[in-house]
Amino acid sequence: MGITLKTKEEQALMRISGRLTADVLDMIGAHVRPGITTDELDRICHNYIVDEQQAIPAPLNYRGFPKSICTSVNQVVCHGIPGDKVLRDGDMVNIDITVIKNGYHGDSSRMFAVGAPPPHAEKLARITREAMWLGIQQVRPGAHLGDIGHAIQVFAEQNRYSVVREYCGHGIGRVFHEDPQVLHYGTPGTGVELQEGMIFTVEPMLNAGKRHVKLMKDGWTVVTKDRSLSAQWEHTVLVTASGYEVLTLGAAERQ
Ligand code: MF3
Ligand code: CO
Ligand code: CO
């Protein structure tokens, strides 16, 4: 399809969609506690998006996905389907929210601790967040997609974690997943050159063990092949004249 450059008007609409996406993540944090089910998290987010935001939860019925959010617990890498799974003290869960407003998508995910997870689980989540930010900090006109992937991969591997290769970031706008693919590993100076007006996600998945993954029989849930813990963070990022603007910052990060 090719990479679309967003006009200033489209950028303003993407800013709105990004803000709403972050608002859902800000809202759901207080609900992530031992005893809640992932289905209950899905219902709370769905109702908030539909009733409070007058927006659309993009995952629902997307290529047959049955729920409004993704909930990926512990060894689940991504695309976990909400269900009757009860969150327990010590779990880590990624909640991935994609909202459509005025026809434009915002996409962001965060890791949430359930009660008090062990330090090694919290560390994986923290390093994954830092890896995402190191990737985002590469973004400016004239940089290359490979610069993003390289920054993430080097930092992950310095920490003896592995980078999942089967799933990547993506262009986003009127379409949920559009060009380019944003790999979370790579070589500096290679790949597409960034231009002002591009909008894409950076969403690294890091595993505590080996990088290999397995798709479960439900056709969606992706787990680590060795059942090691996995973590993911995601932001939607605009390439600006001087660098980048993150469209999905939470209220606490917007100052
Ligand atoms: N939000 C995911 C992403 O970051 C995609 C989820 S697709 C779904 O790209 F169908 F599982 F919702
Ligand atoms: Co995404
Ligand atoms: Co997402």
Short mmCIF file of all heavy atoms in Angstrom, two decimals, residues 25 28 32 37-39 41-42 59 65 67-83 85-88 90-97 108-114 117 121 124-125 164 167 203-207 214-216 218 220-224 228-234:
data_model
loop_
_atom_site.label_atom_id
_atom_site.label_comp_id
_atom_site.label_asym_id
_atom_site.label_seq_id
_atom_site.Cartn_x
_atom_site.Cartn_y
_atom_site.Cartn_z
N LEU A 25 -5.96 3.46 29.10
CA LEU A 25 -4.91 2.80 29.91
C LEU A 25 -4.80 3.46 31.28
O LEU A 25 -4.61 2.77 32.30
CB LEU A 25 -3.58 2.84 29.16
CG LEU A 25 -3.52 1.89 27.96
CD1 LEU A 25 -2.37 2.25 27.03
CD2 LEU A 25 -3.39 0.44 28.43
N ILE A 28 -7.81 2.10 33.35
CA ILE A 28 -7.93 0.68 33.70
C ILE A 28 -6.95 0.27 34.80
O ILE A 28 -7.16 -0.75 35.49
CB ILE A 28 -7.79 -0.22 32.44
CG1 ILE A 28 -8.39 -1.62 32.68
CG2 ILE A 28 -6.35 -0.34 31.97
CD1 ILE A 28 -9.85 -1.65 33.00
N VAL A 32 -6.70 -3.26 37.81
CA VAL A 32 -5.82 -4.43 37.67
C VAL A 32 -5.38 -4.87 39.06
O VAL A 32 -4.42 -4.35 39.62
CB VAL A 32 -4.61 -4.12 36.76
CG1 VAL A 32 -3.73 -5.35 36.61
CG2 VAL A 32 -5.08 -3.63 35.40
N THR A 37 -10.99 -10.81 36.52
CA THR A 37 -10.75 -11.62 35.32
C THR A 37 -10.41 -10.72 34.15
O THR A 37 -10.76 -9.52 34.14
CB THR A 37 -11.99 -12.46 34.94
OG1 THR A 37 -13.03 -11.57 34.51
CG2 THR A 37 -12.46 -13.33 36.10
N THR A 38 -9.75 -11.30 33.15
CA THR A 38 -9.41 -10.51 31.97
C THR A 38 -10.68 -10.12 31.20
O THR A 38 -10.72 -9.07 30.55
CB THR A 38 -8.42 -11.28 31.07
OG1 THR A 38 -8.91 -12.59 30.82
CG2 THR A 38 -7.05 -11.37 31.74
N ASP A 39 -11.73 -10.93 31.30
CA ASP A 39 -13.02 -10.56 30.70
C ASP A 39 -13.60 -9.31 31.35
O ASP A 39 -14.18 -8.46 30.66
CB ASP A 39 -14.04 -11.70 30.88
CG ASP A 39 -14.35 -12.41 29.58
OD1 ASP A 39 -13.99 -11.88 28.50
OD2 ASP A 39 -14.96 -13.50 29.63
N LEU A 41 -11.84 -6.89 32.74
CA LEU A 41 -11.04 -5.77 32.23
C LEU A 41 -11.53 -5.38 30.83
O LEU A 41 -11.63 -4.18 30.51
CB LEU A 41 -9.56 -6.14 32.19
CG LEU A 41 -8.89 -6.39 33.55
CD1 LEU A 41 -7.46 -6.90 33.34
CD2 LEU A 41 -8.90 -5.14 34.41
N ASP A 42 -11.82 -6.38 30.01
CA ASP A 42 -12.32 -6.13 28.65
C ASP A 42 -13.64 -5.38 28.68
O ASP A 42 -13.83 -4.40 27.94
CB ASP A 42 -12.49 -7.48 27.93
CG ASP A 42 -13.06 -7.32 26.54
OD1 ASP A 42 -12.33 -6.84 25.65
OD2 ASP A 42 -14.24 -7.68 26.33
N PRO A 59 -9.95 -3.67 18.10
CA PRO A 59 -9.74 -5.12 18.02
C PRO A 59 -11.02 -5.92 17.80
O PRO A 59 -10.97 -7.00 17.19
CB PRO A 59 -9.11 -5.47 19.39
CG PRO A 59 -8.42 -4.21 19.79
CD PRO A 59 -9.35 -3.11 19.32
N PHE A 65 -11.00 -11.28 15.65
CA PHE A 65 -10.66 -11.21 17.09
C PHE A 65 -11.95 -10.96 17.86
O PHE A 65 -12.74 -10.08 17.50
CB PHE A 65 -9.65 -10.09 17.35
CG PHE A 65 -9.06 -10.12 18.74
CD1 PHE A 65 -8.04 -11.01 19.05
CD2 PHE A 65 -9.54 -9.28 19.74
CE1 PHE A 65 -7.50 -11.06 20.34
CE2 PHE A 65 -9.00 -9.32 21.02
CZ PHE A 65 -7.98 -10.21 21.32
N LYS A 67 -12.73 -9.94 21.07
CA LYS A 67 -12.88 -9.03 22.21
C LYS A 67 -12.41 -7.63 21.84
O LYS A 67 -11.90 -7.40 20.74
CB LYS A 67 -12.10 -9.56 23.41
CG LYS A 67 -12.56 -10.95 23.88
CD LYS A 67 -13.90 -10.90 24.61
CE LYS A 67 -14.39 -12.30 24.91
NZ LYS A 67 -15.13 -12.40 26.15
N SER A 68 -12.53 -6.70 22.81
CA SER A 68 -12.27 -5.28 22.53
C SER A 68 -10.86 -4.84 22.90
O SER A 68 -10.44 -3.74 22.51
CB SER A 68 -13.28 -4.42 23.30
OG SER A 68 -14.57 -4.68 22.80
N ILE A 69 -10.15 -5.66 23.70
CA ILE A 69 -8.77 -5.35 24.08
C ILE A 69 -7.96 -6.65 24.03
O ILE A 69 -8.54 -7.74 23.93
CB ILE A 69 -8.67 -4.75 25.51
CG1 ILE A 69 -9.05 -5.77 26.58
CG2 ILE A 69 -9.55 -3.50 25.62
CD1 ILE A 69 -8.80 -5.30 28.02
N CYS A 70 -6.64 -6.54 24.10
CA CYS A 70 -5.79 -7.72 24.27
C CYS A 70 -5.23 -7.71 25.69
O CYS A 70 -4.80 -6.65 26.18
CB CYS A 70 -4.64 -7.73 23.27
SG CYS A 70 -5.16 -7.84 21.55
N THR A 71 -5.26 -8.87 26.33
CA THR A 71 -4.71 -9.03 27.68
C THR A 71 -3.72 -10.19 27.65
O THR A 71 -4.11 -11.34 27.45
CB THR A 71 -5.82 -9.31 28.70
OG1 THR A 71 -6.64 -10.40 28.24
CG2 THR A 71 -6.71 -8.08 28.92
N SER A 72 -2.44 -9.88 27.82
CA SER A 72 -1.39 -10.89 27.66
C SER A 72 -0.66 -11.05 29.00
O SER A 72 0.03 -10.14 29.46
CB SER A 72 -0.44 -10.46 26.55
OG SER A 72 -1.16 -10.30 25.33
N VAL A 73 -0.86 -12.21 29.63
CA VAL A 73 -0.40 -12.45 31.00
C VAL A 73 0.86 -13.31 31.01
O VAL A 73 0.91 -14.37 30.35
CB VAL A 73 -1.51 -13.15 31.82
CG1 VAL A 73 -1.06 -13.35 33.27
CG2 VAL A 73 -2.81 -12.36 31.77
N ASN A 74 1.89 -12.85 31.72
CA ASN A 74 3.11 -13.62 32.00
C ASN A 74 3.81 -14.11 30.72
O ASN A 74 4.45 -13.33 30.04
CB ASN A 74 2.80 -14.78 32.95
CG ASN A 74 2.33 -14.28 34.32
OD1 ASN A 74 2.61 -13.14 34.69
ND2 ASN A 74 1.62 -15.10 35.05
N GLN A 75 3.69 -15.42 30.40
CA GLN A 75 4.41 -15.96 29.24
C GLN A 75 3.70 -15.69 27.91
O GLN A 75 4.20 -16.07 26.86
CB GLN A 75 4.65 -17.47 29.40
CG GLN A 75 3.43 -18.36 29.18
CD GLN A 75 2.48 -18.39 30.36
OE1 GLN A 75 2.70 -17.74 31.37
NE2 GLN A 75 1.41 -19.17 30.22
N VAL A 76 2.54 -15.00 27.98
CA VAL A 76 1.86 -14.61 26.74
C VAL A 76 2.56 -13.37 26.18
O VAL A 76 2.74 -12.36 26.86
CB VAL A 76 0.36 -14.33 26.97
CG1 VAL A 76 -0.29 -13.88 25.67
CG2 VAL A 76 -0.33 -15.59 27.50
N VAL A 77 2.98 -13.49 24.90
CA VAL A 77 3.77 -12.45 24.24
C VAL A 77 2.87 -11.30 23.78
O VAL A 77 3.19 -10.13 23.98
CB VAL A 77 4.53 -13.07 23.05
CG1 VAL A 77 5.24 -12.01 22.23
CG2 VAL A 77 5.50 -14.14 23.54
N CYS A 78 1.76 -11.65 23.15
CA CYS A 78 0.82 -10.64 22.64
C CYS A 78 -0.48 -11.32 22.22
O CYS A 78 -0.55 -12.55 22.13
CB CYS A 78 1.42 -9.88 21.45
SG CYS A 78 1.78 -10.90 20.01
N HIS A 79 -1.50 -10.48 21.97
CA HIS A 79 -2.79 -10.91 21.41
C HIS A 79 -3.54 -11.90 22.31
O HIS A 79 -4.35 -12.69 21.82
CB HIS A 79 -2.61 -11.51 20.01
CG HIS A 79 -1.95 -10.58 19.04
ND1 HIS A 79 -1.45 -11.00 17.83
CD2 HIS A 79 -1.70 -9.25 19.11
CE1 HIS A 79 -0.90 -9.95 17.20
NE2 HIS A 79 -1.04 -8.89 17.97
N GLY A 80 -3.29 -11.83 23.63
CA GLY A 80 -4.07 -12.64 24.56
C GLY A 80 -5.54 -12.25 24.49
O GLY A 80 -5.87 -11.05 24.45
N ILE A 81 -6.43 -13.23 24.47
CA ILE A 81 -7.87 -12.99 24.37
C ILE A 81 -8.45 -12.94 25.79
O ILE A 81 -8.29 -13.90 26.54
CB ILE A 81 -8.57 -14.11 23.58
CG1 ILE A 81 -7.95 -14.28 22.20
CG2 ILE A 81 -10.07 -13.82 23.47
CD1 ILE A 81 -8.51 -15.49 21.42
N PRO A 82 -9.13 -11.85 26.15
CA PRO A 82 -9.77 -11.82 27.46
C PRO A 82 -10.73 -13.00 27.62
O PRO A 82 -11.40 -13.41 26.67
CB PRO A 82 -10.51 -10.47 27.45
CG PRO A 82 -9.71 -9.63 26.51
CD PRO A 82 -9.27 -10.58 25.42
N GLY A 83 -10.79 -13.52 28.84
CA GLY A 83 -11.65 -14.67 29.12
C GLY A 83 -11.86 -14.80 30.62
O GLY A 83 -11.77 -13.81 31.35
N LYS A 85 -10.00 -16.09 32.79
CA LYS A 85 -8.75 -16.17 33.55
C LYS A 85 -8.74 -15.13 34.68
O LYS A 85 -8.92 -13.94 34.45
CB LYS A 85 -7.55 -15.93 32.64
CG LYS A 85 -6.22 -16.04 33.39
CD LYS A 85 -5.02 -15.84 32.50
CE LYS A 85 -3.74 -15.94 33.31
NZ LYS A 85 -3.55 -17.23 33.97
N VAL A 86 -8.51 -15.61 35.89
CA VAL A 86 -8.45 -14.74 37.07
C VAL A 86 -7.00 -14.30 37.27
O VAL A 86 -6.09 -15.13 37.31
CB VAL A 86 -8.95 -15.50 38.33
CG1 VAL A 86 -8.82 -14.60 39.56
CG2 VAL A 86 -10.38 -15.97 38.13
N LEU A 87 -6.78 -12.99 37.38
CA LEU A 87 -5.43 -12.49 37.65
C LEU A 87 -5.07 -12.76 39.10
O LEU A 87 -5.88 -12.56 40.01
CB LEU A 87 -5.34 -11.00 37.34
CG LEU A 87 -5.55 -10.63 35.87
CD1 LEU A 87 -5.40 -9.12 35.67
CD2 LEU A 87 -4.59 -11.39 34.96
N ARG A 88 -3.83 -13.24 39.29
CA ARG A 88 -3.38 -13.62 40.64
C ARG A 88 -2.24 -12.71 41.06
O ARG A 88 -1.49 -12.20 40.23
CB ARG A 88 -2.91 -15.08 40.62
CG ARG A 88 -4.02 -16.07 40.34
CD ARG A 88 -3.45 -17.47 40.25
NE ARG A 88 -2.44 -17.71 41.29
CZ ARG A 88 -1.42 -18.55 41.17
NH1 ARG A 88 -1.24 -19.23 40.07
NH2 ARG A 88 -0.57 -18.72 42.17
N GLY A 90 1.13 -11.42 41.79
CA GLY A 90 2.42 -11.82 41.21
C GLY A 90 2.42 -11.92 39.70
O GLY A 90 3.48 -12.03 39.08
N ASP A 91 1.22 -11.85 39.08
CA ASP A 91 1.16 -11.85 37.61
C ASP A 91 1.58 -10.48 37.07
O ASP A 91 1.47 -9.46 37.74
CB ASP A 91 -0.28 -12.11 37.12
CG ASP A 91 -0.72 -13.56 37.28
OD1 ASP A 91 0.15 -14.44 37.43
OD2 ASP A 91 -1.95 -13.79 37.27
N MET A 92 2.05 -10.49 35.81
CA MET A 92 2.23 -9.26 35.04
C MET A 92 1.33 -9.37 33.82
O MET A 92 1.31 -10.41 33.16
CB MET A 92 3.68 -9.11 34.56
CG MET A 92 4.72 -8.93 35.66
SD MET A 92 4.70 -7.31 36.46
CE MET A 92 5.03 -6.23 35.10
N VAL A 93 0.61 -8.31 33.51
CA VAL A 93 -0.30 -8.34 32.35
C VAL A 93 -0.06 -7.13 31.46
O VAL A 93 0.06 -6.01 31.94
CB VAL A 93 -1.79 -8.42 32.79
CG1 VAL A 93 -2.19 -7.25 33.66
CG2 VAL A 93 -2.72 -8.54 31.58
N ASN A 94 0.04 -7.39 30.16
CA ASN A 94 0.05 -6.32 29.16
C ASN A 94 -1.39 -6.08 28.71
O ASN A 94 -2.10 -7.02 28.36
CB ASN A 94 0.91 -6.69 27.96
CG ASN A 94 0.79 -5.65 26.84
OD1 ASN A 94 -0.15 -5.66 26.07
ND2 ASN A 94 1.76 -4.75 26.77
N ILE A 95 -1.80 -4.82 28.77
CA ILE A 95 -3.10 -4.44 28.23
C ILE A 95 -2.86 -3.57 27.00
O ILE A 95 -2.16 -2.56 27.08
CB ILE A 95 -3.95 -3.72 29.29
CG1 ILE A 95 -4.16 -4.66 30.49
CG2 ILE A 95 -5.29 -3.27 28.69
CD1 ILE A 95 -5.01 -4.06 31.61
N ASP A 96 -3.40 -4.01 25.87
CA ASP A 96 -3.17 -3.34 24.59
C ASP A 96 -4.50 -2.77 24.10
O ASP A 96 -5.47 -3.50 23.90
CB ASP A 96 -2.59 -4.34 23.58
CG ASP A 96 -2.03 -3.67 22.34
OD1 ASP A 96 -2.44 -2.54 22.03
OD2 ASP A 96 -1.19 -4.30 21.67
N ILE A 97 -4.52 -1.45 23.94
CA ILE A 97 -5.74 -0.71 23.60
C ILE A 97 -5.58 -0.07 22.23
O ILE A 97 -4.58 0.61 21.97
CB ILE A 97 -5.98 0.41 24.64
CG1 ILE A 97 -6.10 -0.15 26.06
CG2 ILE A 97 -7.20 1.25 24.25
CD1 ILE A 97 -7.31 -1.00 26.33
N SER A 108 -1.76 1.71 21.83
CA SER A 108 -0.75 1.76 22.89
C SER A 108 -0.96 0.62 23.86
O SER A 108 -2.10 0.18 24.07
CB SER A 108 -0.86 3.09 23.64
OG SER A 108 0.14 3.21 24.64
N SER A 109 0.13 0.13 24.43
CA SER A 109 0.00 -0.89 25.48
C SER A 109 1.01 -0.63 26.59
O SER A 109 2.05 0.01 26.38
CB SER A 109 0.16 -2.30 24.91
OG SER A 109 1.52 -2.65 24.74
N ARG A 110 0.66 -1.12 27.76
CA ARG A 110 1.52 -0.99 28.94
C ARG A 110 1.51 -2.31 29.71
O ARG A 110 0.55 -3.08 29.62
CB ARG A 110 1.02 0.10 29.90
CG ARG A 110 0.90 1.48 29.30
CD ARG A 110 0.38 2.47 30.35
NE ARG A 110 -0.03 3.72 29.70
CZ ARG A 110 -0.82 4.63 30.27
NH1 ARG A 110 -1.28 4.46 31.50
NH2 ARG A 110 -1.14 5.73 29.61
N MET A 111 2.53 -2.50 30.52
CA MET A 111 2.56 -3.62 31.47
C MET A 111 2.00 -3.15 32.81
O MET A 111 2.34 -2.06 33.28
CB MET A 111 4.00 -4.11 31.68
CG MET A 111 4.67 -4.67 30.44
SD MET A 111 3.86 -6.12 29.73
CE MET A 111 4.12 -7.34 31.03
N PHE A 112 1.20 -3.99 33.43
CA PHE A 112 0.65 -3.73 34.76
C PHE A 112 1.02 -4.88 35.69
O PHE A 112 0.91 -6.05 35.32
CB PHE A 112 -0.88 -3.62 34.70
CG PHE A 112 -1.37 -2.44 33.90
CD1 PHE A 112 -1.61 -2.56 32.53
CD2 PHE A 112 -1.59 -1.21 34.51
CE1 PHE A 112 -2.07 -1.47 31.79
CE2 PHE A 112 -2.05 -0.12 33.77
CZ PHE A 112 -2.28 -0.25 32.42
N ALA A 113 1.45 -4.52 36.89
CA ALA A 113 1.73 -5.52 37.92
C ALA A 113 0.44 -5.86 38.65
O ALA A 113 -0.34 -4.97 38.99
CB ALA A 113 2.76 -4.97 38.90
N VAL A 114 0.22 -7.13 38.90
CA VAL A 114 -0.92 -7.58 39.70
C VAL A 114 -0.39 -7.89 41.09
O VAL A 114 0.40 -8.84 41.25
CB VAL A 114 -1.58 -8.83 39.09
CG1 VAL A 114 -2.82 -9.21 39.88
CG2 VAL A 114 -1.91 -8.62 37.61
N PRO A 117 4.56 -8.66 41.90
CA PRO A 117 5.32 -9.68 41.16
C PRO A 117 6.77 -9.75 41.63
O PRO A 117 7.29 -8.79 42.22
CB PRO A 117 5.25 -9.20 39.70
CG PRO A 117 4.10 -8.26 39.66
CD PRO A 117 4.07 -7.61 41.01
N ALA A 121 10.43 -10.32 37.24
CA ALA A 121 9.31 -10.02 36.33
C ALA A 121 9.15 -8.51 36.16
O ALA A 121 8.93 -8.01 35.05
CB ALA A 121 8.03 -10.63 36.87
N LEU A 124 11.98 -7.22 33.85
CA LEU A 124 11.74 -7.45 32.42
C LEU A 124 10.80 -6.37 31.87
O LEU A 124 11.05 -5.82 30.78
CB LEU A 124 11.13 -8.84 32.20
CG LEU A 124 10.68 -9.15 30.76
CD1 LEU A 124 11.85 -9.11 29.78
CD2 LEU A 124 9.96 -10.51 30.71
N ALA A 125 9.77 -6.04 32.62
CA ALA A 125 8.83 -5.00 32.16
C ALA A 125 9.53 -3.64 32.09
O ALA A 125 9.32 -2.88 31.13
CB ALA A 125 7.63 -4.93 33.09
N VAL A 164 11.52 -10.56 20.25
CA VAL A 164 10.62 -11.33 19.39
C VAL A 164 10.66 -10.76 17.97
O VAL A 164 10.65 -9.54 17.79
CB VAL A 164 9.18 -11.27 19.96
CG1 VAL A 164 8.17 -11.88 18.99
CG2 VAL A 164 9.13 -11.97 21.32
N TYR A 167 6.58 -10.43 15.29
CA TYR A 167 5.60 -9.35 15.37
C TYR A 167 6.35 -8.03 15.46
O TYR A 167 7.46 -7.99 15.99
CB TYR A 167 4.66 -9.55 16.57
CG TYR A 167 3.95 -10.89 16.47
CD1 TYR A 167 4.52 -12.04 17.00
CD2 TYR A 167 2.76 -11.00 15.78
CE1 TYR A 167 3.91 -13.28 16.86
CE2 TYR A 167 2.13 -12.23 15.63
CZ TYR A 167 2.71 -13.36 16.18
OH TYR A 167 2.10 -14.57 16.01
N GLU A 203 6.66 -1.03 19.41
CA GLU A 203 6.00 -1.92 20.37
C GLU A 203 6.80 -3.20 20.62
O GLU A 203 6.33 -4.31 20.35
CB GLU A 203 4.58 -2.25 19.91
CG GLU A 203 4.44 -2.72 18.46
CD GLU A 203 2.98 -3.05 18.13
OE1 GLU A 203 2.40 -3.90 18.82
OE2 GLU A 203 2.43 -2.46 17.17
N PRO A 204 8.02 -3.05 21.15
CA PRO A 204 8.88 -4.23 21.31
C PRO A 204 8.32 -5.25 22.30
O PRO A 204 7.73 -4.89 23.31
CB PRO A 204 10.19 -3.64 21.85
CG PRO A 204 9.80 -2.35 22.48
CD PRO A 204 8.66 -1.83 21.65
N MET A 205 8.52 -6.52 21.95
CA MET A 205 8.25 -7.65 22.84
C MET A 205 9.58 -8.29 23.20
O MET A 205 10.33 -8.71 22.30
CB MET A 205 7.37 -8.69 22.12
CG MET A 205 5.93 -8.27 21.97
SD MET A 205 5.23 -8.79 20.37
CE MET A 205 5.73 -7.41 19.35
N LEU A 206 9.90 -8.33 24.48
CA LEU A 206 11.15 -8.94 24.97
C LEU A 206 10.83 -10.16 25.80
O LEU A 206 9.88 -10.13 26.61
CB LEU A 206 11.93 -7.93 25.83
CG LEU A 206 12.96 -7.05 25.11
CD1 LEU A 206 12.37 -6.29 23.93
CD2 LEU A 206 13.59 -6.06 26.10
N ASN A 207 11.62 -11.20 25.60
CA ASN A 207 11.45 -12.44 26.37
C ASN A 207 12.61 -12.61 27.35
O ASN A 207 13.76 -12.29 27.02
CB ASN A 207 11.44 -13.66 25.44
CG ASN A 207 10.26 -13.64 24.48
OD1 ASN A 207 9.31 -12.87 24.66
ND2 ASN A 207 10.34 -14.48 23.46
N LYS A 214 5.22 -19.30 19.96
CA LYS A 214 4.31 -20.34 19.48
C LYS A 214 2.90 -19.77 19.48
O LYS A 214 2.51 -19.05 20.42
CB LYS A 214 4.40 -21.54 20.44
CG LYS A 214 3.57 -22.71 20.07
CD LYS A 214 3.65 -23.82 21.12
CE LYS A 214 2.52 -24.78 20.85
NZ LYS A 214 1.93 -25.37 21.99
N LEU A 215 2.13 -20.06 18.43
CA LEU A 215 0.73 -19.61 18.35
C LEU A 215 -0.17 -20.69 18.94
O LEU A 215 -0.08 -21.87 18.55
CB LEU A 215 0.36 -19.35 16.89
CG LEU A 215 -1.05 -18.82 16.63
CD1 LEU A 215 -1.24 -17.44 17.25
CD2 LEU A 215 -1.33 -18.77 15.12
N MET A 216 -1.03 -20.31 19.87
CA MET A 216 -1.92 -21.29 20.51
C MET A 216 -3.05 -21.67 19.55
O MET A 216 -3.30 -21.00 18.55
CB MET A 216 -2.50 -20.71 21.80
CG MET A 216 -1.43 -20.33 22.83
SD MET A 216 -0.44 -21.72 23.39
CE MET A 216 -1.51 -22.36 24.66
N ASP A 218 -6.13 -21.30 19.71
CA ASP A 218 -7.22 -20.32 19.49
C ASP A 218 -6.93 -19.42 18.29
O ASP A 218 -7.78 -18.61 17.89
CB ASP A 218 -7.48 -19.50 20.76
CG ASP A 218 -6.27 -18.67 21.21
OD1 ASP A 218 -5.38 -18.38 20.38
OD2 ASP A 218 -6.22 -18.30 22.40
N TRP A 220 -4.91 -16.93 18.07
CA TRP A 220 -4.50 -15.57 18.43
C TRP A 220 -3.38 -15.52 19.46
O TRP A 220 -2.39 -14.84 19.26
CB TRP A 220 -5.70 -14.77 18.97
CG TRP A 220 -6.60 -14.30 17.90
CD1 TRP A 220 -7.81 -14.82 17.54
CD2 TRP A 220 -6.35 -13.22 17.00
NE1 TRP A 220 -8.33 -14.13 16.49
CE2 TRP A 220 -7.46 -13.14 16.14
CE3 TRP A 220 -5.30 -12.30 16.84
CZ2 TRP A 220 -7.54 -12.18 15.12
CZ3 TRP A 220 -5.39 -11.35 15.84
CH2 TRP A 220 -6.50 -11.30 15.00
N THR A 221 -3.59 -16.23 20.58
CA THR A 221 -2.67 -16.10 21.72
C THR A 221 -1.27 -16.57 21.34
O THR A 221 -1.08 -17.70 20.92
CB THR A 221 -3.18 -16.94 22.91
OG1 THR A 221 -4.54 -16.60 23.15
CG2 THR A 221 -2.33 -16.68 24.15
N VAL A 222 -0.29 -15.66 21.49
CA VAL A 222 1.10 -15.97 21.18
C VAL A 222 1.84 -16.14 22.51
O VAL A 222 1.76 -15.27 23.39
CB VAL A 222 1.75 -14.84 20.36
CG1 VAL A 222 3.21 -15.14 20.07
CG2 VAL A 222 0.97 -14.61 19.07
N VAL A 223 2.52 -17.28 22.69
CA VAL A 223 3.27 -17.54 23.93
C VAL A 223 4.73 -17.78 23.59
O VAL A 223 5.08 -18.11 22.45
CB VAL A 223 2.71 -18.76 24.70
CG1 VAL A 223 1.27 -18.52 25.13
CG2 VAL A 223 2.83 -20.04 23.88
N THR A 224 5.60 -17.63 24.60
CA THR A 224 7.00 -17.98 24.40
C THR A 224 7.10 -19.49 24.29
O THR A 224 6.44 -20.23 25.02
CB THR A 224 7.86 -17.49 25.57
OG1 THR A 224 7.31 -17.98 26.80
CG2 THR A 224 7.93 -15.97 25.62
N SER A 228 9.05 -18.90 28.97
CA SER A 228 9.64 -17.84 29.78
C SER A 228 8.72 -16.61 29.75
O SER A 228 7.86 -16.48 28.87
CB SER A 228 11.02 -17.48 29.25
OG SER A 228 10.92 -16.97 27.93
N LEU A 229 8.94 -15.70 30.69
CA LEU A 229 8.14 -14.48 30.75
C LEU A 229 8.42 -13.60 29.54
O LEU A 229 9.54 -13.58 29.01
CB LEU A 229 8.46 -13.69 32.02
CG LEU A 229 8.01 -14.28 33.34
CD1 LEU A 229 8.42 -13.34 34.48
CD2 LEU A 229 6.50 -14.50 33.36
N SER A 230 7.40 -12.84 29.13
CA SER A 230 7.52 -11.90 28.03
C SER A 230 6.89 -10.58 28.46
O SER A 230 5.98 -10.56 29.29
CB SER A 230 6.81 -12.44 26.79
OG SER A 230 7.07 -11.64 25.66
N ALA A 231 7.40 -9.47 27.90
CA ALA A 231 6.82 -8.16 28.21
C ALA A 231 6.75 -7.32 26.94
O ALA A 231 7.52 -7.54 25.99
CB ALA A 231 7.65 -7.44 29.26
N GLN A 232 5.82 -6.37 26.93
CA GLN A 232 5.67 -5.48 25.78
C GLN A 232 5.16 -4.11 26.23
O GLN A 232 4.36 -4.01 27.17
CB GLN A 232 4.65 -6.06 24.77
CG GLN A 232 4.44 -5.15 23.55
CD GLN A 232 3.51 -5.74 22.51
OE1 GLN A 232 2.61 -6.49 22.83
NE2 GLN A 232 3.74 -5.40 21.25
N TRP A 233 5.67 -3.06 25.57
CA TRP A 233 5.12 -1.71 25.70
C TRP A 233 4.94 -1.15 24.30
O TRP A 233 5.71 -1.52 23.39
CB TRP A 233 6.06 -0.78 26.46
CG TRP A 233 6.18 -1.08 27.92
CD1 TRP A 233 6.92 -2.08 28.48
CD2 TRP A 233 5.56 -0.38 29.01
NE1 TRP A 233 6.80 -2.04 29.86
CE2 TRP A 233 5.98 -1.00 30.20
CE3 TRP A 233 4.71 0.72 29.08
CZ2 TRP A 233 5.56 -0.56 31.45
CZ3 TRP A 233 4.30 1.16 30.33
CH2 TRP A 233 4.71 0.52 31.51
N GLU A 234 3.96 -0.26 24.13
CA GLU A 234 3.69 0.28 22.80
C GLU A 234 3.25 1.74 22.88
O GLU A 234 2.42 2.10 23.71
CB GLU A 234 2.56 -0.53 22.12
CG GLU A 234 2.11 0.05 20.77
CD GLU A 234 1.06 -0.79 20.08
OE1 GLU A 234 0.31 -1.51 20.76
OE2 GLU A 234 1.00 -0.71 18.83
#
